[in-house]
Structures are given as C-alpha cells and as structure tokens.
Amino acid sequence: MARILVVEDDPDVRVMLVKGLELEGFSVHGVASGPEAVGALDRGAFDLVLLDLMLGETSGYDVLREMEQQGHREHVKVLMLTARGSETDILEGWRHRVDDYRTKPFDVSDLIEAVRETLDRTPEELSRFREAQLRRAELFNHLEAVFEDRASP
C-alpha cells in the first residue's frame, strides 16, 4: 500500500483529499504547512507527496528545497496540486522537478488517476515525462510571450 503525504493549508481540501485517497486504499497523512511536511518526511517514509504550492508563509518550492537538502527527494515522488495554473507557473513547477503538476479546481477521479500513474512510473519514465512536460511548458510560455508582445501597442 502506497503511503501519501498531503500538504494542503486549506483544511476542507486537505480532509477531502485525505479521505478520498484513503477510500482508494492508500495510507494517507495530511499536514497544513511546509515545516509540518518536512517533519513528517523526517519521521516516516512516503512514496508520494501531494503538494500545494501556496502554503501561507512557505511555498511548495520551499518544501521541495528542504526535501532535496534532507535527501528525501530521491526516494519520494511529488505531485504538485495548486491553483497556480498559468503557463509560467506550470513551467516553474517542471523546473523544480515535480513528477506531475495539476491545477485546482480538479476532478477527483482524474487526480486519483494521476496519483496512480505517478506512483506506477519508474524513475526513468518520470524523467522522460518531466522532460517532455518541461519542453511543452517552455514552448507554451514562449508562445504566450509572443502573443503578449503582438497585443501590446
């Protein structure tokens, strides 16, 4: 049974995610902040972190940096789940080497499928997937900039 850490500062969303993933057979622990997430990772082994980007005083990127520094990142997959869905935000997520990036609002069944797919991917598959998504995000970010330039007087 896969162990998932849900890092979400909105208590309603966190409880819904924890309960929904538990119903799917996952072992799930939920926390509300970056420091709580790092503490949970220090105390226990997780297979995947479902990570919100905006966590009050810290960000999901702060958590990712801490995970890298503490040596957790090489063994734990990360699925970013955030309301930040611009191409620039998505590009930044892929640059931080997340294993998947999903935006809110989300369809619960789609999110659970994304969790399963992320957990099932080998490190090599994750790397190829991440690189393809990074190239895609860079392309769309570039196109967005071109269209903005053309729209400016």
Side-chain angles (χ1 to χ4, degrees), residues 43-102:
R43 290 187 302 277
F46 292 92
D47 301 297
L48 181 125
V49 175
L50 190 58
L51 181 61
D52 187 13
L53 181 55
M54 298 179 290
L55 295 168
E57 296 196 16
T58 60
S59 76
Y61 298 136
D62 295 329
V63 173
L64 287 169
R65 279 189 284 281
E66 282 292 317
M67 288 176 69
E68 285 282 345
Q69 291 172 358
Q70 302 295 326
H72 299 300
R73 190 60 184 98
E74 61 192 78
H75 304 291
V76 180
K77 298 171 181 175
V78 176
L79 192 158
M80 184 74 71
L81 180 64
T82 178
R84 307 265 313 255
S86 75
E87 290 302 328
T88 302
D89 292 322
I90 293 168
L91 178 59
E92 191 64 22
W94 291 117
R95 285 183 175 152
H96 276 84
R97 296 185 334 105
V98 298
D99 297 303
D100 204 343
Y101 191 104
R102 300 298 169 122

Side-chain angles (χ1 to χ4, degrees), residues 9-68:
D9 61 337
D10 182 314
D12 295 330
V13 174
R14 183 175 59 252
V15 167
M16 186 269 306
L17 288 168
V18 168
K19 287 182 179 180
L21 290 165
E22 286 175 341
L23 285 172
E24 293 295 317
F26 297 107
S27 173
V28 187
H29 179 68
V31 297
S33 71
E36 286 180 284
V38 173
L41 287 161
D42 287 341
R43 290 187 302 277
F46 292 92
D47 301 297
L48 181 125
V49 175
L50 190 58
L51 181 61
D52 187 13
L53 181 55
M54 298 179 290
L55 295 168
E57 296 196 16
T58 60
S59 76
Y61 298 136
D62 295 329
V63 173
L64 287 169
R65 279 189 284 281
E66 282 292 317
M67 288 176 69
E68 285 282 345

